[in-house]
Amino acid sequence: MTETLFLTSEDVAGLATPAEYVDAVRDGYRQRGQGAPAEPRTKLASDDPKGMLTTYAAVLPDTGAMGGYMYDAGFGARDAWFMTPLFDADSGEPLALLDGASMNPFKTGAVGAVGVDALAREDAETVAIIGSGAQARGQLRAVDTVRDLDTVWVYSPTPENREDFAAQMNTQLDASVASVASSAAAIEGADIVITATTASDPVFDGETLEPGTHVTAMGQYHPEKRELDTTTVERATYVFDLRARAMRDAGSFIHAVDEGVVDEDHVHAELGDVVAGTAEGRTSDEEITVFDSGGTGIETVAAAYLLYERAVEQELGTTLDFAPASEALTGE
């Protein structure tokens, strides 16, 4: 039998800072850029009851861990559950099983911040964030660790939500955070634009993006839904978390290809290539860059292993016994 650590959401809450998540995830993408295997999500849909079951995975050999997410959303309970199995990349033995929900905004925010650090101008200090939920909070807290932010403008369709977001973030950041009444007002003059929405259609007009802007689009991973219009896609140096997502679930990019505005060669690189130094990121202060982030096992494994190490140090969690196949797979 192999002892495996089980970590609840309460166990892992507060074990790492946003900056520590960013460091771990950056190293994960560095490994990806040097050849570490990772695959896009597989999403299985159910119509009755309405819901989806999703999985994705990665192997991070330098971290010494592999695993990913399995989660469902919708169905009869109309909720979501996130399970994160983590394995030793050398022995293959199970290391941990995490309740992965509480870490989600932090690890997803971290990959957004790695994208900003790799692609935004060094002097970027003004952020427009479209969306005001948990993922928007995770993105902003993480980006604040890689740039010296001065001003943040937030827009979401419900005034109360965007005002609450601004009030909360003002207590957590040194930057000034304020809500605005439209996405156009948010992105005016912004150095960094972050979309963290559930929108099916573009959330701003790409014609209004100023030269030198960086855009992180992370709210959609559905072939028929998009946060960015074709103009934004066409104007930008376009970077994915995983290139294999381009024509699979990246709705903004797929729509631009279908309209004939770009083709698949418009993909500049994967984020890991830029982080590892095998591809250029931003090459000028006038360039518009996009990081299309749909979620991968890379940030999931990197973040989960960080939390696992901290939990071991602090003697948190409970143990589960797993039988190896050599003992249990008998057919008896």
Side-chain angles (χ1 to χ4, degrees):
M1 303 292 281
T2 298
E3 285 193 349
T4 301
L5 193 62
F6 174 61
L7 297 171
T8 67
S9 181
E10 184 176 347
D11 288 330
V12 301
L15 280 184
T17 66
E20 289 167 335
Y21 276 103
V22 171
D23 288 343
V25 170
R26 181 187 291 110
D27 189 64
Y29 273 89
R30 188 269 306 166
Q31 292 174 62
R32 170 61 184 173
Q34 294 174 341
E39 290 292 332
R41 76 180 66 231
T42 297
K43 185 167 67 174
L44 305 177
S46 169
D47 291 327
D48 187 19
K50 192 75 172 178
M52 68 173 183
L53 176 66
T54 297
T55 63
Y56 50 70
V59 179
L60 300 181
D62 293 348
T63 301
M66 58 188 178
Y69 253 167
M70 174 172 279
Y71 66 91
D72 72 81
F75 297 97
R78 300 191 180 279
D79 212 318
W81 284 266
F82 293 75
M83 294 187 181
T84 306
L86 193 65
F87 299 85
D88 187 296
D90 294 318
S91 70
E93 294 179 347
L95 294 173
L97 178 64
L98 288 76
D99 179 342
S102 64
M103 78 168 182
N104 188 288
F106 296 97
K107 63 93 179 175
T108 306
V111 70
V114 174
V116 166
D117 202 27
L119 297 169
R121 299 193 326 269
E122 291 290 340
D123 63 352
E125 61 179 12
T126 303
V127 174
I129 188 156
I130 303 172
S132 59
Q135 296 293 356
R137 288 193 290 273
Q139 291 291 321
L140 186 54
R141 290 186 66 189
V143 168
D144 187 57
T145 71
V146 298
R147 289 295 184 274
D148 186 12
L149 301 184
D150 178 72
T151 305
V152 179
W153 302 109
V154 58
Y155 169 74
S156 67
T158 305
E160 181 180 354
N161 290 349
R162 64 188 186 238
E163 289 162 9
D164 287 348
F165 179 96
Q168 182 188 38
M169 290 296 103
N170 260 317
T171 68
Q172 297 185 13
L173 306 180
D174 291 334
S176 170
V177 185
S179 67
V180 292
S182 68
S183 62
I187 70 172
E188 184 177 358
D191 303 316
I192 299 166
V193 176
I194 300 169
T195 60
T197 76
T198 59
S200 296
D201 297 308
V203 295
F204 65 83
D205 181 357
E207 291 283 2
T208 63
L209 284 177
E210 297 187 11
T213 305
H214 168 74
V215 179
T216 292
M218 57 73 54
Q220 278 297 359
Y221 45 88
H222 189 290
E224 297 174 3
K225 298 178 181 181
R226 57 189 180 131
E227 293 181 303
L228 308 183
D229 61 10
T230 56
T231 301
T232 301
V233 177
E234 182 180 23
R235 294 182 69 190
T237 298
Y238 213 90
V239 174
F240 277 100
D241 45 11
L242 290 176
R243 187 183 291 265
R245 287 190 48 243
M247 298 303 296
R248 183 166 172 172
D249 66 10
S252 297
F253 192 82
I254 291 169
H255 195 91
V257 171
D258 288 346
E259 285 198 358
V261 173
V262 299
D263 59 26
E264 291 185 56
D265 290 338
H266 189 65
V267 179
H268 172 69
E270 285 191 5
L271 178 61
D273 298 328
V274 179
V275 173
T278 59
E280 283 190 308
R282 172 177 294 276
T283 58
S284 78
D285 285 347
E286 301 300 304
E287 189 176 6
I288 293 174
T289 55
V290 166
F291 173 47
D292 190 318
S293 174
T296 79
I298 301 165
E299 58 264 27
T300 305
V301 173
Y305 190 75
L306 169 66
L307 297 176
Y308 164 74
E309 286 193 308
R310 293 290 171 81
V312 170
E313 290 171 1
Q314 298 182 32
E315 298 182 345
L316 298 173
T318 57
T319 57
L320 305 173
D321 288 332
F322 277 85
S326 60
E327 295 178 9
L329 204 157
T330 65
E332 295 178 358

